[in-house]
Amino acid sequence: MTSENNKRIAKNTLLLYFRMLLIMGVSLFTVRVVLDVLGTVDYGLYNVVGGIVTMFAFLSGAMSTSSQRYFAFELGRKNYDQLKKTFSMTLTIYILIAVVILILAETVGLWFLNHKMTIPSERMEAANWVYQFSIFSFMMTMFTIPYNAAIIAHERMNVYAYVSIIEVTLKLLIVYLLVLFSFDKLKLYAILMFSVTTIISFIYRTYCNRKFEECHYVFYWNKSLFYELVSYSGWNLFGAFSGIVKGQGSNIVLNIFFGPTVNAARAIAFQINQAINNFVTNFYQAVRPQIIKYYAEGNINSMLNLIFTSSRFSYYLMFFLSMPVLLNTSFILGLWLKNPPEYAALFTQLIVINTLIDSLATPLMTAAHATGKIKLYQSVVGTVVIMNIPISYLFFKLGYPPEFLFYISIILSVICLVLRQWIVQRLIHSFSILHFTRKVLFIVFFVSIISSIIPIILSYHIDKGIVKFLISSSLHVVCSLVTIYFIGITYTERKKAFAYISKFRSRILKR
């Protein structure tokens, strides 16, 4: 059974990588064109104004995690009747949440946009257009979340790959239409992005209605199930809120103190980070349902082994791709964009380092969610995460530059990594902080140091440009693969890797 689960994880990871490569390639291309067409100020405005709407998304974000947990849990128990009831109840709750979000967005959010944001007066009307269509896009996405949760719980990752082909085609069409029409580019971009969101949401809902019996919504109300979902989501809500405050709140604080140009630099940095982080996200997306199912089955040993293994491999995937970016940030930005905004290079480096640290913690978060007892986890970790905003605000008031927001975020991520281990040990007594530190943290630390020495030394002795990028990247690939193979993986994992390589080589030679 474990072998079959591992094969399913590997297959789903490859499908998600196919999806990710499609989206990443088109996204990097479209950002270049959109930044050029809109200009730095309008591009920064689109990201920060859309961020106000995202501030309200913590409500649906909390329910999204809850949906995935409960769907995967019931599938693990093979309780399909309860699964159907849970889906219908979840969607009913989403309808209630939608009303709350719409009221908040059209009152508090609208007031904040027009009275507190740093927006050029001549672009205020366009900013309001972006805001309204961002609300429409968010509402469409929110109603799709339960259906996406069902796809993930069933581990049908191939659906994402197929839909991605449609999505990237539509986004390429957006770029063409932006150049073609003379209508206000910022307004047009907001309308077109809403149209793409609507089409993709419709496709996901249609697929789930046809393939999964539980996704046929029938109004269902059960008081105890409602309180169970809401109770779980309540603390999850705080955790989601803290994440949103850290992400979009940072964007707003930067806008208040430094204006839309710095927002544009942050948006560019996050595009690069997202392109790298998608490798880890897709791997984790394939692993997450299995961790929850192991817990539901009572197979704690397999669950812990998967947590330890996925923590290391999540980090390796992130590290493997991040070092070439860290060593050649300015060159990559110059190659990608015509005129990169100021601070874009520094922001990119700091965000990537932050994500490297967070990649180790994601399986720990899943372990806490699998237990269903998330009060301690969300209250402690959420509080630390949310402190990024008031601390950064204080530093900015004292006159510190914008990059201090990211320095603070890195320090808080290290603190959260320590706290997550302590909390998981309290929730799952078989989990050992000492074992996690020895089998995960120490190993990835030594892999990082040993594999980086030669690329870093040589990169400082080579002039910037394509030669430095190729040499440093090639050295990093070789050093990382060798170090991970001999230090970063276990003997059993090394044997499996060797077997897969031999099998692949045999197939090539037969051809």
Side-chain angles (χ1 to χ4, degrees):
M1 183 63 70
T2 302
S3 177
E4 291 179 5
N5 290 334
N6 290 337
K7 288 179 180 179
R8 191 187 309 114
I9 290 172
K11 178 183 176 182
N12 288 333
T13 302
L14 290 173
L15 287 168
L16 288 169
Y17 280 162
F18 171 73
R19 172 180 183 264
M20 178 271 301
L21 288 171
L22 276 175
I23 295 176
M24 181 178 69
V26 172
S27 295
L28 293 176
F29 171 73
T30 55
V31 166
R32 173 190 172 97
V33 178
V34 170
L35 178 62
D36 187 45
V37 173
L38 295 183
T40 301
V41 173
D42 274 4
Y43 185 75
L45 282 177
Y46 181 83
N47 280 275
V48 73
V49 170
I52 299 176
V53 178
T54 309
M55 285 289 287
F56 297 107
F58 70 90
L59 290 169
S60 66
M63 285 300 299
S64 173
T65 305
S66 303
S67 301
Q68 291 179 29
R69 188 264 174 187
Y70 277 94
F71 294 170
F73 194 86
E74 297 302 340
L75 282 170
R77 297 198 305 177
K78 296 180 172 57
N79 191 343
Y80 301 109
D81 182 60
Q82 186 62 30
L83 176 62
K84 186 172 183 178
K85 292 176 181 177
T86 302
F87 178 86
S88 294
M89 178 61 77
T90 300
L91 198 52
T92 300
I93 296 172
Y94 263 74
I95 294 171
L96 298 175
I97 291 176
V99 176
V100 175
I101 291 178
L102 186 61
I103 293 171
L104 289 173
E106 293 293 0
T107 53
V108 178
L110 201 58
W111 167 81
F112 190 85
L113 170 68
N114 287 282
H115 295 91
K116 295 297 180 180
M117 299 293 292
T118 303
I119 299 173
S121 57
E122 68 274 11
R123 302 305 291 153
M124 186 59 74
E125 181 189 355
N128 275 275
W129 272 63
V130 171
Y131 183 74
Q132 293 300 328
F133 277 99
S134 295
I135 293 174
F136 299 154
S137 296
F138 167 70
M139 299 297 282
M140 292 300 302
T141 301
M142 190 184 70
F143 286 116
T144 311
I145 289 173
Y147 297 95
N148 285 344
I151 293 172
I152 293 170
H154 282 276
E155 301 182 66
R156 299 285 184 88
M157 308 309 177
N158 60 316
V159 177
Y160 287 115
Y162 299 144
V163 176
S164 295
I165 297 174
I166 300 173
E167 185 177 358
V168 297
T169 302
L170 292 173
K171 287 186 176 180
L172 286 171
L173 181 61
I174 285 178
V175 172
Y176 174 73
L177 294 175
L178 275 178
V179 177
L180 183 64
F181 290 104
S182 58
F183 185 69
D184 187 301
K185 305 296 184 183
L186 185 55
K187 294 179 182 179
L188 180 61
Y189 187 57
I191 295 170
L192 293 174
M193 287 299 288
F194 164 69
S195 301
V196 171
T197 301
T198 302
I199 293 170
I200 298 302
S201 298
F202 175 78
I203 292 172
Y204 281 129
R205 288 200 295 272
T206 301
Y207 174 84
C208 289
N209 284 328
R210 292 183 177 181
K211 296 295 183 179
F212 307 136
E213 183 64 29
E214 72 270 14
C215 292
H216 291 216
Y217 175 74
V218 177
F219 179 77
Y220 172 77
W221 185 263
N222 181 290
K223 189 175 180 180
S224 61
L225 179 59
F226 173 79
Y227 282 120
E228 183 181 352
L229 289 169
V230 171
S231 175
Y232 180 88
S233 300
W235 284 108
N236 212 30
L237 186 68
F238 180 72
F241 175 73
S242 63
I244 290 295
V245 169
K246 177 185 176 182
Q248 299 304 325
S250 299
N251 212 13
I252 293 173
V253 169
L254 287 172
N255 176 266
I256 292 172
F257 283 94
F258 305 103
T261 302
V262 172
N263 291 127
R266 179 186 178 276
I268 293 299
F270 266 89
Q271 283 287 339
I272 294 179
N273 180 68
Q274 185 177 10
I276 300 172
N277 192 42
N278 276 340
F279 279 87
V280 179
T281 302
N282 287 314
F283 172 72
Y284 167 67
Q285 194 90 305
V287 169
R288 187 177 193 274
Q290 201 57 54
I291 292 177
I292 297 173
K293 288 175 182 177
Y294 276 143
Y295 184 84
E297 295 168 0
N299 194 348
I300 303 301
N301 287 334
S302 294
M303 175 189 178
L304 293 177
N305 287 334
L306 185 55
I307 290 170
F308 283 26
T309 303
S310 58
S311 293
R312 283 187 290 110
F313 278 87
S314 292
Y315 181 87
Y316 295 153
L317 286 169
M318 185 69 193
F319 177 73
F320 191 77
L321 294 163
S322 63
M323 276 303 293
V325 174
L326 293 174
L327 294 173
N328 302 277
T329 312
S330 297
F331 171 75
I332 292 171
L333 287 173
L335 190 67
W336 176 31
L337 306 171
K338 293 181 180 179
N339 296 300
E342 186 183 4
Y343 292 111
L346 179 58
F347 285 4
T348 299
Q349 292 170 333
L350 294 175
I351 291 170
V352 168
I353 292 172
N354 200 156
T355 306
L356 264 171
I357 297 168
D358 288 340
S359 67
L360 289 164
T362 308
L364 294 174
M365 178 179 66
T366 301
H369 280 285
T371 66
K373 302 172 184 177
I374 58 171
K375 178 180 178 180
L376 178 65
Y377 177 89
Q378 296 292 18
S379 59
V380 173
V381 176
T383 300
V384 175
V385 168
I386 209 171
M387 290 304 295
N388 192 61
I389 300 306
I391 295 174
S392 298
Y393 188 92
L394 177 62
F395 271 78
F396 293 157
K397 272 288 188 181
L398 295 173
Y400 284 84
E403 61 266 26
F404 266 75
L405 181 144
F406 302 101
Y407 293 139
I408 295 165
S409 179
I410 290 171
I411 294 171
L412 293 179
S413 287
V414 173
I415 294 172
C416 285
L417 179 60
V418 176
L419 290 173
R420 285 183 175 108
Q421 296 174 66
W422 171 71
I423 293 168
V424 171
Q425 187 177 54
R426 286 175 62 93
L427 296 174
I428 304 172
H429 299 304
S430 300
F431 177 86
S432 168
I433 295 176
L434 180 62
H435 287 168
F436 187 83
T437 302
R438 182 164 52 88
K439 294 182 178 180
V440 178
L441 300 183
F442 280 171
I443 291 176
V444 301
F445 175 76
F446 285 121
V447 167
S448 302
I449 296 298
I450 294 172
S451 62
S452 300
I453 293 174
I454 296 176
I456 290 175
I457 291 175
L458 288 180
S459 67
Y460 279 104
H461 292 83
I462 303 175
D463 293 333
K464 295 180 180 179
I466 188 66
V467 174
K468 177 186 174 182
F469 175 75
L470 293 175
I471 293 176
S472 62
S473 298
S474 300
L475 279 172
H476 169 67
V477 169
V478 173
C479 291
S480 296
L481 288 176
V482 172
T483 309
I484 290 171
Y485 184 80
F486 287 105
I487 299 177
I489 59 178
T490 64
Y491 175 74
T492 302
E493 291 165 347
R494 200 176 301 126
K495 283 182 65 179
K496 288 181 179 179
F498 184 78
Y500 284 135
I501 293 171
S502 299
K503 188 176 181 180
F504 178 76
R505 185 176 60 184
S506 298
R507 287 181 179 179
I508 296 296
L509 291 175
K510 286 180 180 179
R511 292 179 182 178

